[in-house]
Amino acid sequence: MPLFKKVLYPTDFSELSNIAKNYVMKLKEANTQEVIILHVIHPLEFSLPQFDDPFALDVATIYANIPEIEKEVLKRHEEILNIVAEEFKNQGFSVKKVMTIGDPKEEIVRIADEEKVNVIVIGYHGKGLLERILEMGSTAKTVIKKAKCPVLVIKKEV
Amino acid sequence: MPLFKKVLYPTDFSELSNIAKNYVMKLKEANTQEVIILHVIHPLEFSLPQFDDPFALDVATIYANIPEIEKEVLKRHEEILNIVAEEFKNQGFSVKKVMTIGDPKEEIVRIADEEKVNVIVIGYHGKGLLERILEMGSTAKTVIKKAKCPVLVIKKEV
């Protein structure tokens, strides 16, 4: 069983995700071949009054049902995801982009399972109060708790 | 900067530590060369009425000041640590054994810093109630929070 062959790299495009990205790039030396880049969009970022359960929707359905101005936002997410994917490709990784709608922590655990990755690499800032307020901190905590595979926790440099 | 060259493997000799040990063994393929095996003993495991602050003592002082029967306990800790060290040596790792007295989570973070390790590998069981009761769960959580280096969290297989 390879330890780092297939890596799940969840990203919200934050500075913290960027620190984790730099680490994943270096995993080449530990024989990482494939990177699943996961970007999860929270459904409440969009106005979808006609749906009772926005968590049950996929990206295409949301795309078809939001106003033009929000389509632009969604497109922007996709564009940044493409840029990140290119960066990994340029380093010689095989890349799979996954964009889903849902609760980031649940989606990360679900996709890790589904894709049978060897490890999840996630950023974490253990800086007391901030961590409790900011989304990414609590996402990492829940992922560490719920994931079945190993989780490599990258700390924000201080 | 190598990612896994020097690894800190803290162990309380539990089943969970054992799962993490099996993972560290495999890190050979990711170019791990040196393993610091850390075993932290809680000072309250010994009867040391003549000292106000047992956390300030080292292993030798404790050894010199405990009854014969407790010396046997301490020796047993050392013996198990030696066995674990041998296992790593047999796999071709360079090994350093560290046995300290103190609070495990604080000691793990301190030794990681002092030894400038590339990563801490620690077991974690995210199994709800148990994790809140058992020591190792909360140790892992605090280590993840306070460590400056990356932490590789190995989940208990379910």
Side-chain angles (χ1 to χ4, degrees), chain A:
Chain A
M1 184 66 172
L3 297 188
F4 304 108
K5 195 175 172 192
K6 192 173 180 179
V7 171
L8 178 63
Y9 165 60
T11 177
D12 62 357
F13 309 138
S14 64
E15 190 202 342
L16 191 60
S17 293
N18 209 43
I19 292 168
K21 187 182 72 187
N22 293 338
Y23 193 95
V24 176
M25 291 285 181
K26 289 186 216 150
L27 277 174
K28 197 99 190 110
E29 67 175 66
N31 305 317
T32 296
Q33 288 171 19
E34 186 177 1
V35 181
I36 315 286
I37 311 170
L38 171 63
H39 178 61
V40 184
I41 302 171
H42 203 284
L44 300 182
E45 283 187 46
F46 301 99
S47 40
L48 293 155
Q50 66 270 50
F51 295 97
D52 284 344
D53 181 9
F55 280 89
L57 306 174
D58 59 22
V59 175
T61 309
I62 287 199
Y63 195 79
N65 286 282
I66 55 177
E68 282 308 313
I69 191 159
E70 294 188 359
K71 281 194 175 106
E72 286 304 314
V73 175
L74 197 56
K75 251 191 211 161
R76 188 78 197 117
H77 280 264
E78 274 184 306
E79 278 166 18
I80 304 175
L81 184 58
N82 287 337
I83 290 167
V84 176
E86 281 307 310
E87 286 182 72
F88 279 105
K89 277 182 202 161
N90 290 340
Q91 295 300 314
F93 293 99
S94 153
V95 171
K96 181 173 177 178
K97 294 174 284 177
V98 182
M99 195 158 109
T100 71
I101 308 288
D103 180 353
K105 48 192 180 293
E106 302 296 335
E107 287 296 281
I108 293 167
V109 173
R110 186 178 69 81
I111 298 292
D113 234 36
E114 217 171 277
E115 294 283 347
K116 295 183 178 56
V117 300
N118 301 115
V119 67
I120 302 169
V121 181
I122 195 163
Y124 182 89
H125 42 72
K127 296 275 103 193
L129 191 63
L130 252 183
E131 129 202 346
R132 272 166 275 159
I133 295 166
L134 292 175
E135 174 66 10
M136 201 57 190
S138 69
T139 298
K141 260 198 245 179
T142 308
V143 169
I144 291 162
K145 194 181 163 111
K146 293 198 175 175
K148 287 179 197 129
C149 66
V151 183
L152 188 43
V153 184
I154 311 303
K155 306 301 296 282
K156 184 173 168 160
E157 286 122 69
V158 279

Side-chain angles (χ1 to χ4, degrees), chain A residues 145, chain B residues 124-139 141:
Chain A
K145 194 181 163 111
Chain B
Y124 182 90
H125 42 72
K127 296 276 103 195
L129 191 63
L130 252 184
E131 129 201 346
R132 272 166 276 159
I133 296 167
L134 292 175
E135 174 67 9
M136 202 57 190
S138 69
T139 299
K141 260 199 243 178

